[in-house]
Amino acid sequence: MRTFIFLLLLGLYIRINAQTADATYSPDSALILTPAPAAAPRINGPKVFGVRPGHPIVFTIPATG
């Protein structure tokens, strides 16, 4: 019985959120938050990179510019 009530409430929650999302979204209101790349090269890799001892390392250096 608890599972049935849970699934019923979950279904209602999903349906309400889907209706709200459809009503508020429009392609014109979407924003692109990615900044434009700089003219000078820049390395964007992580400051800390971990690997287990004795295992090979494959690391691609992400860069822009």
Side-chain angles (χ1 to χ4, degrees):
M1 184 68 178
R2 294 169 85 186
T3 304
F4 174 75
I5 293 172
F6 173 76
L7 292 176
L8 179 67
L9 292 174
L10 180 62
L12 289 173
Y13 174 78
I14 291 172
R15 189 171 195 190
I16 290 170
N17 282 342
Q19 290 173 352
T20 305
D22 290 342
T24 58
Y25 174 76
S26 71
D28 296 333
S29 67
L31 297 175
I32 298 175
L33 301 177
T34 305
R42 180 176 172 194
I43 297 175
N44 298 318
K47 296 190 185 317
V48 178
F49 180 75
V51 67
R52 292 184 179 164
H55 288 78
I57 297 174
V58 177
F59 181 74
T60 303
I61 301 173
T64 60

